[in-house]
Amino acid sequence: MSQLFTPMQLGKLSLSNRIIIAPMCQYSAEQGKATPWHRIHLGHLSLSGAGLLIIEATAVEAAGRITPQDLGLWDDETEQALAETINDVKRYATMPLGIQLGHAGRKASCDVPWRGGGFLTPQQGGWQTSAPSALPYSENDGAPLALTKARIAEIKQAFIDSAIRADRLGFELVEIHAAHGYLLHQFLSPLSNQRDDEYGGSLENRMRLVLEIYDEVRRVFPRDKAVGVRISASDWVEGGWDEAQSIALSKALEAAGCDYIHVSSGGLSPQQQISVGPNYQVPFAAGIKAAMTTMPVIAVGLITEAQQAESILTSGQADAIALARAMLYDPRWPWHAAAELVKVQAPPQYWRCEPHEVKGLFNL
Ligand SMILES: Cc1cc2nc3c(=O)[nH]c(=O)nc-3n(C[C@H](O)[C@H](O)[C@H](O)COP(=O)(O)O)c2cc1C
């Protein structure tokens, strides 16, 4: 039996296997609105045989976009545009669909990656950014404004409103984006959060906004659907957010009833020292999983081979794996993994009945 192809639950949401398509920004929206690109891109990924498709970081307010081309879900127009795409995709999809909701904070107002991804001034089509503290990501960026309590409350409300819209669109899962140096991660890390109110300082205070947003989203998103959180388990910078703090946050989320934790890393600081290689983030997932009682843990990061994915699960380091680049490169990855892993132990008397269309199904 393959672990990768064993069904699982994220809360009340059932997945037919443990391959998750990780959220991937497409920078192909117009004023936050989905375009035909999304129909094509999500359409083919939704037929790939994975257990779940989580669509890209979707901004809860316009100022929360990484680039002017980011997808958004902040008003009726953005909801309507996404509805047209998602209705078509869901008509044929063979898997549940989730959406990642996020806010870029001080990493907003940038150009698309294929034009270098640099900071955009208002004259270049960018906008004033905001963050927990007035500390830019890099010295080339405009300084963000430190968020007032009133703005924090507005952003919290924006997550709630987007989650309500996501439910209306038929999404079965919301993933709160607290990774990769974006706004919620900026609140978690002591490197970017130097506030002296109840949202800064102690670990408890830095975790407050993520936990509040989780609670609010959970409150409005139906119980039979899943709500999870994606984190960066480490800033990879001395004195930054790290595995021990990630475990503390994961425990708090588990206690709050969170349906899963999705364990990535990095993105908060240009000073990060990462050595990237196969499974490079899996030890973080394993460390968090060891501290959990029930909450499923998703590992991600340079997982490219079927057997590699299977081993992560059978060794108990994670409950599911997510793939980003491997799915873009080979959108039939789950089929190929199934052909490799899901071998049936049939008796030799019956080997001649192996169907032509699934050659390799039997473990001859
Ligand atoms: C094109 C592209 C877009 C991405 N956009 C997002 C995103 O919207 N949200 C997010 O949390 N991570 C995003 N990521 C990171 C991936 O979800 C994933 O964590 C990372 O690529 C490592 O996994 P991989 O080695 O399987 O690609 C993106 C990655 C790629 C390649």
Side-chain angles (χ1 to χ4, degrees):
M1 279 303 288
S2 156
Q3 269 296 310
L4 193 59
F5 287 93
T6 301
M8 73 175 302
Q9 299 280 128
L10 295 177
K12 298 228 164 50
L13 180 66
S14 302
L15 310 192
S16 64
N17 62 57
R18 292 160 188 249
I19 304 165
I20 293 170
I21 305 174
M24 283 181 272
C25 283
Q26 296 299 297
Y27 313 106
S28 300
E30 287 164 7
Q31 311 300 330
K33 291 183 278 189
T35 63
W37 174 259
H38 294 93
R39 186 175 279 98
I40 292 170
H41 167 70
L42 298 171
H44 84 92
L45 288 180
S46 72
L47 300 175
S48 64
L52 170 68
L53 166 58
I54 305 177
I55 78 164
E56 65 193 270
T58 302
V60 298
E61 61 171 28
R65 290 173 297 171
I66 306 165
T67 76
Q69 288 75 27
D70 279 24
L71 192 62
L73 188 52
W74 61 72
D75 63 7
D76 292 347
E77 275 190 46
T78 50
E79 181 179 338
Q80 182 55 35
L82 197 50
E84 286 163 21
T85 303
I86 295 304
N87 288 344
D88 285 351
V89 173
K90 282 186 85 69
R91 191 159 158 193
Y92 304 103
T94 56
M95 65 191 68
L97 303 186
I99 185 168
Q100 188 185 53
L101 297 180
H103 191 297
R106 69 181 188 177
K107 285 177 79 177
S109 186
C110 289
D111 207 350
V112 295
W114 52 84
R115 284 199 295 263
F119 186 77
L120 295 175
T121 63
Q123 295 71 35
Q124 294 166 318
W127 55 91
Q128 173 65 55
T129 61
S130 46
S133 303
L135 302 165
Y137 168 76
S138 101
E139 56 196 21
N140 306 323
D141 299 354
L145 293 177
L147 286 164
T148 60
K149 290 267 198 61
R151 278 289 291 137
I152 291 175
E154 270 175 27
I155 290 173
K156 219 189 301 177
Q157 189 59 47
F159 271 92
I160 297 170
D161 294 343
S162 296
I164 293 169
R165 293 181 189 280
D167 172 41
R168 222 162 27 221
L169 289 171
F171 284 105
E172 283 124 321
L173 172 146
V174 161
E175 177 168 283
I176 296 165
H177 195 355
H180 302 162
Y182 297 113
L183 183 73
L184 298 184
H185 184 181
Q186 291 158 29
F187 270 88
L188 294 173
S189 175
L191 301 177
S192 45
N193 181 348
Q194 297 180 1
R195 299 177 71 91
D196 54 14
D197 62 5
E198 70 267 34
Y199 288 105
S202 67
L203 174 60
E204 190 189 351
N205 282 356
R206 284 181 280 117
M207 296 190 328
R208 188 178 307 281
L209 186 59
V210 174
L211 293 170
E212 284 179 353
I213 288 177
Y214 166 75
D215 279 342
E216 293 289 339
V217 169
R218 179 70 285 179
R219 189 172 55 76
V220 298
F221 205 60
R223 280 278 152 194
D224 59 338
K225 299 183 172 190
V227 179
V229 177
R230 193 176 222 209
I231 60 166
S232 281
S234 171
D235 290 342
W236 300 99
V237 180
E238 199 62 38
W241 181 257
D242 58 15
E243 186 177 342
Q245 295 173 84
S246 298
I247 290 174
L249 176 64
S250 302
K251 283 183 171 167
L253 285 167
E254 181 175 56
C258 186
D259 291 322
Y260 71 90
I261 186 97
H262 193 167
V263 185
S264 187
S265 76
L268 187 99
S269 161
Q271 263 79 55
Q272 65 185 19
Q273 300 287 329
I274 309 187
S275 61
V276 174
N279 285 8
Y280 71 107
Q281 296 174 151
V282 174
F284 294 128
I288 292 171
K289 183 162 165 54
M292 294 300 105
T293 335
T294 53
M295 184 169 67
V297 176
I298 303 171
V300 67
L302 273 182
I303 301 167
T304 55
E305 308 302 320
Q307 200 55 62
Q308 177 192 7
E310 181 72 9
S311 307
I312 292 166
L313 303 183
T314 53
S315 60
Q317 297 180 90
D319 299 287
I321 55 99
L323 307 171
R325 290 165 289 185
M327 282 301 302
L328 287 189
Y329 190 67
D330 175 10
R332 296 284 171 258
W333 195 97
W335 289 9
H336 302 144
E340 196 177 324
L341 296 175
V342 192
K343 304 277 189 189
V344 177
Q345 297 292 337
Q349 295 90 327
Y350 290 175
W351 283 355
R352 285 176 67 190
C353 79
E354 184 182 60
H356 269 298
E357 62 273 19
V358 280
K359 271 273 173 243
L361 179 68
F362 291 168
N363 200 4
L364 303 182

